[in-house]
Amino acid sequence: MQPVGNILEIRDLSAGYRSSAFPLRGKGGIKTILHDINLDIGRDEFFGVLGESGCGKSTLAKAVLGLLPHSGSITLGGSVQAVFQDPLSSLDPRHTVGFTVEEPLAVLRTLSKKERELKADEMLEKVGLNSSYRKRLPAELSGGQRQRVCIAAALVTEPKLLVADEAISSLDVSVGAQILNLFRELHEQMEFAMMFISHNLDVVYYLCSRVAVMQKGRIVESGPVEDVYARPQSGYTRQLLGGSGLPPGN
């Protein structure tokens, strides 16, 4: 069931990229990727966005984060942060873990240096690291540890919505499973909703309560994840599920 009240409401969203290679497409040379997107994400809800590579999932994430021009409306009921696919490219190799996790707090200018350090250490503990990691550089960490640092930096300001764009796809299976369980644990400790973007059927089914299926920049089906997986209405969704109309693993 969708939670009462929404943290995100999207209405008739179309968005794309400015490109000189497409001077005649849309207004101002914009190549339109998303077409008439409508969706809601409830407060504290984990909502999945599912589809194959190139369907527009990451473009949707960038639009929600305010990184792309768009038409239609995106209404947020609170702050938003993001975790991306490749933690190594997300982290500045020159900056320590402590600096990376503290930096979002420094931008807010509401805490002293000591308060920022304490809050960053608390957040590192929550993601399964500790204060001994604060002087380490990204090159000294494993892939899973780097993603934990990215998650800590994203959640340290206590955003109301976390956009996770293929957040485990660059990790091996066992480490990815640990990160999924970490998301669940953090959800129990902190109040935030998540837009979880993935091409992986099993992962979305495991983590999310509702899902939207995307194809060629459009949502072709959405609803409670168990209903969509068990009784897909779209031919594309049935194709993704292998024609079984059953949850992954069955």
Side-chain angles (χ1 to χ4, degrees), residues 23-66:
L24 300 179
R25 295 194 181 190
K27 296 181 180 179
I30 295 176
K31 179 186 178 183
T32 302
I33 304 296
L34 302 178
H35 306 272
D36 302 318
I37 300 293
N38 290 276
L39 65 82
D40 297 329
I41 296 180
R43 295 182 184 277
D44 301 334
E45 179 181 25
F46 276 18
F47 185 96
V49 178
L50 178 66
E52 297 173 300
S53 177
C55 72
K57 304 187 304 296
S58 292
T59 303
L60 177 59
K62 291 176 181 177
V64 170
L65 293 168

Side-chain angles (χ1 to χ4, degrees), residues 33 35 50-52 54-56 213-220 234-237 239:
I33 304 296
H35 306 272
L50 178 66
E52 297 173 300
C55 72
V213 181
M214 289 189 66
Q215 180 189 28
K216 296 180 179 179
R218 301 179 185 275
I219 293 177
V220 296
S234 163
Y236 177 71
T237 308
Q239 177 184 333

Side-chain angles (χ1 to χ4, degrees), residues 187-199:
H187 187 237
E188 292 177 359
Q189 300 173 40
M190 307 172 70
E191 293 182 359
F192 66 94
M194 182 158 62
M195 174 187 282
F196 186 83
I197 295 168
S198 180
H199 65 279

Side-chain angles (χ1 to χ4, degrees), residues 105 111 115-123 156 158:
L105 296 171
L111 301 175
E115 289 171 330
R116 294 198 302 268
E117 289 178 355
L118 289 172
K119 194 169 182 65
D121 286 348
E122 290 173 1
M123 196 65 237
V156 71
E158 301 180 19

Side-chain angles (χ1 to χ4, degrees), residues 87-104:
L88 187 59
S89 63
S90 297
L91 298 172
D92 190 322
R94 303 166 297 176
H95 290 160
T96 64
V97 167
F99 179 92
T100 298
V101 180
E102 286 178 42
E103 186 178 26

Side-chain angles (χ1 to χ4, degrees), residues 164-181:
D165 188 4
E166 296 284 6
I168 67 166
S169 63
S170 66
L171 306 174
D172 66 40
V173 173
S174 61
V175 175
Q178 293 171 17
I179 296 298
L180 291 181
N181 288 328

Side-chain angles (χ1 to χ4, degrees), residues 34 140 205 229:
L34 302 178
E140 302 175 76
Y205 187 82
Y229 278 49

